[in-house]
Each structure stands twice: as C-alpha cells, then as structure tokens.
Amino acid sequence: MDFKVTTLAGKDAGKLKVSDEIFGLDPREDILHRVVRWQLAKRQQGSHKTKGRAEIARTGAKMYRQKGTGRARHHSARAPQFRGGGKAHGPVVRSHAHELPKKVRALGLKHALSAKAKSESLIIIDDLAFADGKTKALVDSFAKLGLTNVLMIGGAELDAGFKRAAQNIPNVDVLPVQGINVYDILRRGTLVLSKAAVEALEERFK
C-alpha cells in the first residue's frame, strides 16, 4: 500500500510504501472496544472509599438495655442503619485494571491504524520538525493541511520546537512513537504520522 507523503508546509514529498498487515486490515470494532475498555479501566484511580462500621470512631457500648424499652434489640451505634454509622457495602480502594493478552493489544493498535487509513484520516508527514517554535506559525501550517482535531506521532525523540509550538493548540496531541495507543488514535479525528514513526511501527510489528 502506497501513501502520499507531505511536508508541514503542505508540499508533496513523494510516496511511502507501508505494510498491509498494519495499515490494510479490515477494522474490527470488537477488538477496538476491548482495548479501549482495558486502557480506560487501567487508568482509573480506584481511590473512592467510604468507612465501614469497623472504621467509625464511635462507642461500641450497647445503645440501651436489651429488654423493657419496647424498641428493637440494637447493639452498636456504628451499625449502618444509624446516622453517623458505617456504610454497608460501600466502595473501597481497589484497582479497576483487568488482564488483556499482549497479542490482542497489538492487534488492537493495528486495527486502529487501519481504521484511520480506511477512513482517509491518516496523513504521513516527512518530518515533524519546526525550527521556528512559534504556535501561530504552526497553526497556519495546520490550516493549510486542514488539521483541527489531530493526534501527531513523531519518532523516538520529539523535536523540541515542534512540541513547544503544538502544546498550546487546542485539540492537538503530540506523542513520541513509544506512546502511541488505541484510545488516543480513536479520540482524535485525524492521525498524523512522521516517516520515522511509520518505520518504527513496522519494525515493532515484524
């Protein structure tokens, strides 16, 4: 499969042959759903917590005598039915993460890349380098390319000028190739890969 390569200025930079095994698959929503669910569950804090009856700072003495009051036979005021008592079956600190096979995760990334390629929402740029480092100039470049909601993936090392210029633009995410993931690919309208990123991905999936 051949892809047209452009520059940040919108000029033609030739063509690049990419692997059909990475960019030419028929996207499967079930695999994408599994990987996104795994990602979001893994990053949940799980720090929500309520106190149970054993954690309430309150006297453990019997509330009133067992017989003769005409009332129910209660014991501790820490019980859940009383105001100020512990919460019954409340949330506790825990991890929401669950297991997902490494092969499914890798396949999910391939399907996400193929989905962008199939919907013509994938752009390959020769180099994500921007010596100017000015946000306004980069916004003008994005306007020429028609980029408004975009994830940009560079090589192993991001160009400092490009990263600085892009970080103030809304709806624009910039990641090195090591940080590429299914959720970020799908949450943005367009995916932009540098030639270095494409080479790194093909090397990764050999």
Side-chain angles (χ1 to χ4, degrees):
M1 181 187 297
D2 290 331
F3 263 95
K4 181 182 174 185
V5 181
T6 62
T7 65
L8 274 175
K11 296 178 180 177
D12 186 22
K15 289 188 176 183
L16 180 67
K17 187 174 181 62
V18 298
S19 171
D20 288 340
E21 294 180 2
I22 302 173
F23 296 93
L25 300 177
D26 192 19
R28 280 182 52 183
E29 291 184 6
D30 59 323
I31 292 176
L32 295 175
H33 175 264
R34 285 180 68 185
V35 178
V36 168
R37 183 172 168 270
W38 170 78
Q39 271 190 252
L40 296 183
K42 190 177 180 182
R43 79 180 194 180
Q44 262 188 280
Q45 275 191 314
S47 58
H48 45 352
K49 175 77 171 70
T50 57
K51 289 185 178 181
R53 63 185 294 170
E55 300 167 301
I56 295 293
R58 205 171 190 185
T59 179
K62 190 170 175 66
M63 295 180 69
Y64 42 76
R65 61 197 173 108
Q66 179 84 347
K67 293 180 177 291
T69 63
R71 301 172 70 183
R73 297 170 292 184
H74 291 301
H75 173 238
S76 173
R78 298 172 183 160
Q81 65 266 38
F82 297 117
R83 183 173 182 178
K87 177 75 174 173
H89 311 298
V92 294
V93 176
R94 68 186 181 90
S95 170
H96 292 270
H98 58 267
E99 294 297 323
L100 188 67
K102 194 177 287 187
K103 286 184 178 180
V104 177
R105 285 181 258 160
L107 190 59
L109 184 54
K110 290 180 183 179
H111 278 269
L113 293 168
S114 296
K116 287 298 181 185
K118 190 172 183 179
S119 63
E120 298 182 351
S121 301
L122 174 63
I123 297 174
I124 297 178
I125 288 181
D126 62 342
D127 189 20
L128 294 182
F130 199 67
D132 191 1
K134 299 291 184 182
T135 299
K136 185 179 180 183
L138 189 59
V139 168
D140 292 340
S141 294
F142 284 179
K144 291 176 184 176
L145 293 168
L147 302 177
T148 53
N149 188 297
V150 60
L151 170 66
M152 313 199 80
I153 304 294
E157 294 289 335
L158 290 175
D159 179 70
F162 182 82
K163 186 178 178 182
R164 184 168 63 250
Q167 65 187 2
N168 292 325
I169 306 175
N171 300 321
V172 173
D173 296 330
V174 180
L175 292 173
V177 71
Q178 304 95 309
I180 191 169
N181 63 88
V182 174
Y183 178 68
D184 281 333
I185 290 172
L186 297 180
R187 72 189 284 263
R188 294 298 179 199
T190 308
L191 174 65
V192 172
L193 298 175
S194 69
K195 286 176 73 174
V198 174
E199 290 168 5
L201 286 168
E202 293 192 340
E203 182 67 28
R204 175 175 169 180
F205 290 123
K206 268 186 178 178

